[in-house]
Amino acid sequence: MKNLMSSYARTWAQHTGIQFATLSILSATLTVVAIVFVTSFNVNRIMTQWGTDIKLTAYLENDKDLDFALLEKKIQGMDSVKAVEFVGKERALQIFNNQLKDITPEFLSENLDANPLPNSFEITLKEQIKNSESYEVLTKQASLISSFEGIEDVSYGQSWLKNYSAFVSGVTTSGIVVILILLVGSLFIIGNSIRSSISSRKEEIEILELVGATRFSIRLPFVFEGFVTGALTSAIGLFICFFLFSWAKAIISQSAVLARLSETMQFFDYSFIFLFVLGGALIGALGSFLTVRGINDGWSASQGAN
Amino acid sequence: MIQFSHVYKTYLGPVHALRNIEFEIDKGEFVFLTGPSGAGKTTLFRMISAYDKPSSGVVRVSGSSIDELNANTVAYFRRKIGVVFQDFKLLKDRTLAENVALPLTVKGHPQKLIDQKVNELLDQLGLSHRKYQYPAQISGGEQQRVAIARALIHQPGVLIADEPTGNLDPQLSEEIMDLLESVNAQGTTVFVATHDHELVRRRAKRVIELAGGQIVRDSR
């Protein structure tokens, strides 16, 4: 370990400029990766929370004499249903009035002399809406409930939900694509840095070969160099991302419209931070390994001479 | 210890660097390889140190056939030999002690043992007072002595030296040759390439002479 550390220190001493440039570019790249992660994580988190609130409303036929208790029991007996609540037409009107009284009080007092609202059931499902698959489950359940005797219509914000699930899937997919592109880019950046390191230490490699160093022992310091660079830059990336996240959260919390969002926003937990830094280190080691794999084969001096 | 049997080496061109080389050097011998520039001395030495393979024929050193070495085994072969070059090939950013220690470091010997061996060897060569200095801080003769120390620290059976006095003045050259002779006296086979005929004549050792890639004289 002491030898590996001193080898890394020598690289810094010999190529301060290149090392600094590599560190800066990689830190910037991994900051973007961390931002994509934290954005995707929080969008999913916020959306999932909204998704938890989603309920189906089954409206009952007005002019039929229905056994509400029996219908409620039938719906409650469905596998995916968590809770069913009967909302009588009087209560529905009361809720309606409560929701509208602050917005259009004159409309309520002047025009509503009869109750046009139907009886209904408010149905909460066991699964929360997370993606298009759960959206399909929801539509299937809605379609099943609407086929029951006495059910006029089932509403669950169809068009909003469709867009919502597509948005969540879109954010996740584009996040994965962006992260993959940036990680492949990181491999190249680390590979180039290691290549320049190898090129300037060609004589050292030849001398090490001359005294009987194995391929493994010659390559190891470069792979270690990539590992440390990857770990360092991912830690720096997370650090910068944390500051940007805190700044964004503070701005959002000051907005009257979005203030509630900031309560849901959350940075990564310690286990994710550890995994992110470890992932960066492994990508660095892999980038180095792919580069050194083709360079030193125990005969580099003879290849150079011929 | 060193055996060349019908060895040819042809580079792209074609350039015939070595033609039908055949000789044998026994354990404990001291042999000079002479010849003008371009005679093939360096090519021959590169084969002995496994930096090159013959186009045809067999080269055997310390029981290993160079042609059969691969990327994994070549490192272990080089641990059995010691090599000294005209340009010393010392690592400029390591102290003299670190340079001398390299063959033991790569073998993974304990640091305590390495320090002990390095100190003993540098003492013998009169360089112990300079062990924490860097190659650029010492003279050419001292650098060559450090290179020889590095080539000897792992007690190889064979020491090959390619023009070890090429960059040194006559007095330092004699000192280096004395040192190589004392190494040989301790049982190490020494094979030295040089184009300094005067130096060879004074030492009265076996001489193999190359010209145009062929052996033209073997004084055995």
Side-chain angles (χ1 to χ4, degrees):
Chain A
M1 183 52 100
K2 193 182 154 199
N3 286 341
L4 292 176
M5 289 307 289
S6 56
S7 168
Y8 188 52
R10 268 199 300 278
T11 301
W12 263 94
Q14 287 166 356
H15 304 105
T16 313
I18 292 174
Q19 287 297 313
F20 192 74
T22 304
L23 216 64
S24 308
I25 297 169
L26 264 182
S27 298
T29 308
L30 289 168
T31 301
V32 176
V33 171
I35 289 171
V36 172
F37 262 121
V38 86
T39 306
S40 176
F41 170 68
N42 276 288
V43 164
N44 269 292
R45 197 176 147 78
I46 290 164
M47 290 302 189
T48 304
Q49 196 152 42
W50 287 353
T52 314
D53 297 337
I54 290 165
K55 285 178 180 169
L56 279 84
T57 307
Y59 297 104
L60 307 182
E61 288 175 13
N62 248 342
D63 39 358
K64 273 201 176 165
D65 190 16
L66 295 168
D67 184 343
F68 299 137
L70 186 70
L71 200 52
E72 184 174 343
K73 205 173 171 186
K74 198 173 173 186
I75 296 170
Q76 183 73 67
M78 291 169 69
D79 284 346
S80 55
V81 172
K82 188 178 172 187
V84 181
E85 189 189 355
F86 177 73
V87 181
K89 54 197 295 174
E90 290 74 23
R91 197 167 146 233
L93 183 65
Q94 196 183 352
I95 293 167
F96 180 75
N97 282 340
N98 280 342
Q99 285 172 344
L100 287 189
K101 70 180 177 191
D102 293 334
I103 307 166
T104 55
E106 65 288 346
F107 174 75
L108 292 174
S109 57
E110 286 168 17
N111 299 319
L112 283 183
D113 46 16
N115 183 356
L117 300 177
N119 294 314
S120 63
F121 285 115
E122 284 218 334
I123 304 157
T124 310
L125 298 179
K126 282 175 184 161
E127 277 285 313
Q128 59 191 23
I129 304 304
K130 284 182 281 192
N131 49 38
S132 53
E133 210 174 289
S134 347
Y135 172 72
E136 275 170 26
V137 172
L138 181 75
T139 52
K140 212 170 164 185
Q141 296 305 314
S143 155
L144 190 64
I145 294 169
S146 65
S147 70
F148 292 168
E149 175 75 27
I151 303 289
E152 171 121 37
D153 189 21
V154 177
S155 161
Y156 51 93
Q158 285 88 333
S159 63
W160 182 87
L161 263 182
K162 199 169 183 177
N163 291 337
Y164 155 81
S165 64
F167 181 71
V168 172
S169 296
V171 166
T172 308
T173 310
S174 30
I176 290 170
V177 170
V178 169
I179 285 166
L180 282 179
I181 290 171
L182 291 176
L183 291 184
V184 171
S186 303
L187 282 179
F188 278 107
I189 295 167
I190 289 193
N192 276 331
S193 159
I194 297 295
R195 196 167 285 122
S196 88
S197 191
I198 287 169
S199 145
S200 67
R201 285 162 69 178
K202 187 170 184 297
E203 196 184 359
E204 180 182 338
I205 292 171
E206 287 179 14
I207 292 170
L208 287 170
E209 281 185 357
L210 173 77
V211 299
T214 57
R215 286 191 298 171
F216 175 78
S217 64
I218 290 175
R219 291 171 183 183
L220 186 63
F222 295 108
V223 175
F224 178 75
E225 194 176 314
F227 183 89
V228 174
T229 304
L232 260 179
T233 49
S234 51
I236 293 171
L238 274 179
F239 200 64
I240 296 171
C241 178
F242 176 73
F243 274 100
L244 291 173
F245 173 83
S246 306
W247 174 71
K249 192 175 174 180
I251 288 180
I252 289 170
S253 68
Q254 284 163 12
S255 152
V257 184
L258 300 171
R260 263 194 70 202
L261 272 185
S262 70
E263 290 163 20
T264 313
M265 285 171 70
Q266 195 184 337
F267 197 65
F268 306 125
D269 57 18
Y270 287 121
S271 58
F272 186 89
I273 288 172
F274 171 75
L275 285 176
F276 190 86
V277 174
L278 180 69
L282 291 178
I283 290 217
L286 178 66
S288 298
F289 175 74
L290 293 175
T291 308
V292 297
R293 196 176 52 151
I295 286 177
N296 167 254
D297 64 353
W299 299 81
S300 66
S302 63
Q303 282 160 4
N306 291 336
Chain B
M1 207 66 176
I2 300 174
Q3 187 188 2
F4 274 62
S5 185
H6 302 295
V7 173
Y8 288 80
K9 181 66 189 180
T10 306
Y11 292 114
L12 282 178
V15 176
H16 302 290
L18 294 177
R19 289 184 233 205
N20 196 23
I21 300 294
E22 183 139 6
F23 68 89
E24 208 168 310
I25 296 174
D26 294 331
K27 190 173 187 303
E29 266 195 283
F30 190 119
V31 181
F32 281 113
L33 179 70
T34 64
S37 295
K41 299 191 298 291
T42 298
T43 303
L44 194 145
F45 266 50
R46 289 172 61 80
M47 284 186 194
I48 298 175
S49 53
Y51 274 131
D52 225 334
K53 290 183 176 184
S55 303
S56 68
V58 176
V59 177
R60 292 188 74 81
V61 180
S62 291
S64 302
S65 172
I66 300 301
D67 203 36
E68 289 167 7
L69 296 175
N70 59 38
N72 290 319
T73 54
V74 70
Y76 299 99
F77 163 76
R78 291 202 183 111
R79 293 177 184 184
K80 295 194 284 186
I81 62 168
V83 187
V84 177
F85 292 96
Q86 178 178 354
D87 59 354
F88 322 129
K89 290 205 187 294
L90 298 176
L91 293 173
K92 297 173 187 70
D93 57 351
R94 315 274 173 103
T95 64
L96 303 189
E98 286 170 336
N99 268 286
V100 172
L102 268 183
L104 299 182
T105 308
V106 302
K107 280 169 92 172
H109 282 230
Q111 193 57 45
K112 203 173 167 186
L113 179 74
I114 294 175
D115 291 342
Q116 185 192 332
K117 285 200 164 194
V118 168
N119 287 338
E120 279 171 19
L121 200 51
L122 287 177
D123 251 355
Q124 283 174 29
L125 298 175
L127 287 167
S128 52
H129 62 295
R130 294 200 181 273
K131 68 181 199 181
Y132 296 120
Q133 291 186 320
Y134 290 87
Q137 296 173 301
I138 61 174
S139 70
E142 286 171 321
Q143 287 191 50
Q144 194 57 291
R145 276 194 282 164
V146 171
I148 292 171
R150 186 185 65 194
L152 290 173
I153 193 149
H154 56 302
Q155 297 171 312
V158 179
L159 177 72
I160 59 169
D162 188 9
E163 303 280 4
T165 59
N167 283 344
L168 306 177
D169 62 38
Q171 192 193 332
L172 283 174
S173 297
E174 288 300 331
E175 282 180 26
I176 293 299
M177 291 314 299
D178 289 343
L179 178 60
L180 291 176
E181 273 202 57
S182 70
V183 167
N184 176 242
Q186 289 166 35
T188 306
T189 306
V190 178
F191 195 17
V192 180
T194 179
H195 58 265
D196 187 342
H197 287 288
E198 196 50 36
L199 188 142
V200 172
R201 193 183 54 77
R202 279 199 298 273
R203 296 284 160 172
K205 301 284 184 187
R206 177 183 168 193
V207 179
I208 296 172
E209 190 174 343
L210 282 178
Q214 287 179 300
I215 294 180
V216 292
R217 180 169 73 102
D218 186 345
S219 67
R220 189 174 204 178

